[in-house]
Amino acid sequence: MKARRRSTGREFFLIKRELGLAAVGSLALAMTFSAALAAEDAKADGVAAAAAAKPDTVLVKAMVGELDRAMRSLGNSSGAAQGSGQAAPKPYFLSYAVADSASASMMAEYGAITNSNESHRRVADVQVRIGSATEDNTHGEHRTSALTTMALPLTDDPAALSRSLWFATNRGYAKALDSYTKVKTEQQVRAKEEDASADFSQERAVEKLLPGAPALKLDKSAWEERLRGISALFRAYPEVIDNRVSLEASTETDYFVSSEGARVATPSHVARLVIVARTRAADGMDLFRAETFEADAVGNLPGQKEVLEKAAALAVSLKALREAPITEPFNGPAILSGRASAVFFHEVLGHRLEGQRQRGDEEGQTFTKLLGKPILPSFISVADDPTVEKFQGHPLSGHYSFDDEGQPARRVDLIQDGVLKTFLMSRQPIASVSTSNGHGRAETGHMPTGRQGNLIVTSSKTVSDKELRAMLIEEAKKQNKAYGLYFEDISSGFAVTTRRTPQAFSVIPLVVYRVYVDGRPDELVRGVSIVGTPQAALNRIVATDDKQMIFNGICGAESGSIPVSAVAPAMLVSEIETQKQAQGIARPPIIAPPPGAASGSVADAASVKAVGRE
């Protein structure tokens, strides 16, 4: 559910705000957790015990008991509207979603720890719906009126837990009443809606209380030493003007109970090690690279030798980027690597297949009327399957067992052989799909909407990497281009889905090469931004390679930031448009960085050669 946490029709694949970069994106390469940790002392024993609590404990009993009491009491004579003499309406739906998490985060720069935190959180989202499923207080622009968020006591004190849930429920009920009055009034004066679907779908309530997440175990001293060693590596690279190495780990149990009878508890745990480094070219352009390692536990993250090699290659790559020429605007053939292709599909296609984007006066509804019609080449199929934990042995961030409305996660075949079949649905119906398919997702403090989980792209028209490259050169020759482009790595992007702005997207690559048709060596370039409109871009896919690659990250939208994955093969497109990225005016540092004592890690890293493209 909400484990491993997750801006409006505008969406982002982003690199992270650690460097304070201007670029944000809908899928974050890295990670932010409301960090909390079970420490290795007596204080942490209580945290660990709470995080690992069985789902039939005090917390669940308090949630069920207070929910039942609220449903019996709200709207009775005791709840009469003050001064009106009339009883307020009873809610037809009430739910409590509680995220109970323990997590830890630490960060290092240039060989020193700059931040190390641990905490334990319990946060409740209370959802109150008044009216009926056909029309309730969440209608139209009032969707968030159902939600009230409140921190809960960390101890298993029945009275304290019940009291906090009572207060949040009463506050939520008052807000829902006010909104329902506004909805009824607005319906008297507004024009007929294009999509008159209900506000809430009817679903079967599920009861599945899985064991709570295990206590978070972390050797804090050992990991701080590892982070110091990794970040110290960058002292050997004077071109690197900023670097951050961070570890984030969490263990969480999510609880969901509803007036329909749902009783769900699901555990999760995740660890991420992220390296981000930045340089600045002589012309003022900021450049950065990031490397992310993800596992289901800190003990399953890669060893120090592998991480140091990747960090050194990243630093060498930054130096090469700093010296690379700025590309000119381009319109022609290109290959997107598997990772780049994954981001491309997430941004350009995935967000436009989310259910809530098919209804409402503000949504562009790119594909709403195209069910049963081809929207991709016939050799491409797309599914979203959050039930898959790993792909080819690698963990997928978008995995979950139940969504944030208590519905079981399920595979959804969105596009089969190029033909659009359905959309990603929460419990907010649309004209063409009236029920949820287990994709109602949200960060704590946000209303669930239809969101991506593990977006998986497959192709029946595959060739080898070598053949795909030959096809790129041939296509460039056909178009009388001196070169095609190869997008190797990607950082971020966004997709605009609202009507008031052009239905466009932008994707920000990090590593781009010109592939010359006359046989010259590939040339690294910088300052490239991919732009375009979705339907044109998606129909220019010519072929794919025979390997799928993974992009794990954090995606931001109106329901908050959630973990997602995209899996796709490299693809050749006959035409792609690029423009220059925005460029800074600040010059590189005027004086050289202070000399640093060469540690073993730095010396070892300096000897590691970057692995270039063949």
Side-chain angles (χ1 to χ4, degrees), residues 166-185:
W166 161 81
F167 185 73
T169 305
N170 275 272
R171 190 167 68 179
Y173 179 66
K175 184 165 64 172
L177 276 176
D178 181 63
S179 180
Y180 187 55
T181 301
K182 292 176 181 177
V183 167
K184 300 299 289 184
T185 302

Side-chain angles (χ1 to χ4, degrees), residues 5 87 120 136 270 457 462 487 498:
R5 295 293 153 215
H120 174 209
D136 64 24
V270 68
V457 181
T462 63
F487 297 93
T498 55

Side-chain angles (χ1 to χ4, degrees), residues 31-270:
M31 58 286 134
T32 25
F33 285 79
S34 312
L37 163 75
E40 298 159 26
D41 53 26
K43 169 188 169 184
D45 289 340
V47 173
K54 294 181 180 179
D56 58 350
T57 55
V58 174
L59 176 58
V60 173
K61 291 177 181 178
M63 292 169 67
V64 172
E66 194 56 34
L67 183 143
D68 290 344
R69 191 172 75 93
M71 288 299 292
R72 291 194 306 269
S73 304
L74 291 173
N76 289 337
S77 57
S78 59
Q82 291 186 2
S84 68
Q86 299 178 351
K90 293 180 69 65
Y92 76 91
F93 176 85
L94 175 63
S95 70
Y96 295 155
V98 174
D100 190 352
S101 66
S103 34
S105 66
M106 57 185 69
M107 182 180 295
E109 299 179 24
Y110 297 115
I113 297 296
T114 59
N115 188 32
S116 185
N117 293 307
E118 54 192 53
S119 65
H120 174 209
R121 293 200 323 159
R122 273 183 181 168
V123 181
D125 279 344
V126 177
Q127 189 176 144
V128 183
R129 289 177 177 265
I130 293 174
S132 69
T134 301
E135 184 180 83
D136 64 24
N137 51 290
T138 72
H139 193 80
E141 299 299 314
H142 302 281
R143 182 163 173 76
T144 60
S145 71
L147 189 70
T148 299
T149 302
M150 178 172 287
L152 294 184
L154 300 180
T155 56
D156 286 338
D157 183 326
L161 289 167
S162 296
R163 189 85 175 194
S164 295
L165 289 169
W166 161 81
F167 185 73
T169 305
N170 275 272
R171 190 167 68 179
Y173 179 66
K175 184 165 64 172
L177 276 176
D178 181 63
S179 180
Y180 187 55
T181 301
K182 292 176 181 177
V183 167
K184 300 299 289 184
T185 302
E186 290 169 2
Q187 291 301 96
Q188 304 300 313
V189 297
R190 66 152 292 153
K192 182 179 180 181
E193 295 173 85
E194 184 179 1
D195 187 334
S197 297
D199 288 329
F200 203 48
S201 65
Q202 301 295 321
E203 308 290 346
R204 183 176 67 88
V206 177
E207 184 169 347
K208 190 165 187 178
L209 298 172
L210 300 174
L216 180 63
K217 295 181 179 180
L218 182 74
D219 188 333
K220 185 176 179 180
S221 296
W223 271 102
E224 287 183 347
E225 183 62 29
R226 282 195 64 177
L227 264 59
R228 281 194 289 265
I230 298 166
S231 61
L233 175 150
F234 292 97
R235 294 184 201 161
Y237 298 92
E239 300 85 6
V240 176
I241 62 175
D242 195 7
N243 85 91
R244 311 286 172 89
V245 181
S246 62
L247 174 71
E248 302 194 7
S250 74
T251 182
E252 179 171 314
T253 304
D254 291 296
Y255 303 92
F256 182 87
V257 302
S258 78
S259 56
E260 296 172 327
R263 305 286 186 269
V264 176
T266 55
S268 70
H269 32 83
V270 68

Side-chain angles (χ1 to χ4, degrees), residues 2 9 49 86 88 202 215 219 255 295 356 381 407 463 537 546 553 598:
K2 290 191 189 339
Q86 299 178 351
Q202 301 295 321
D219 188 333
Y255 303 92
Q356 70 279 5
S381 295
Q407 294 299 302
V463 298
D546 50 8

Side-chain angles (χ1 to χ4, degrees), residues 284-308:
M285 181 176 287
D286 280 325
L287 303 159
F288 67 98
R289 295 294 312 276
E291 191 73 51
T292 303
F293 306 89
E294 182 168 332
D296 55 4
V298 288
N300 294 330
L301 288 168
Q304 191 76 340
K305 184 176 183 296
E306 179 183 344
V307 175
L308 284 170

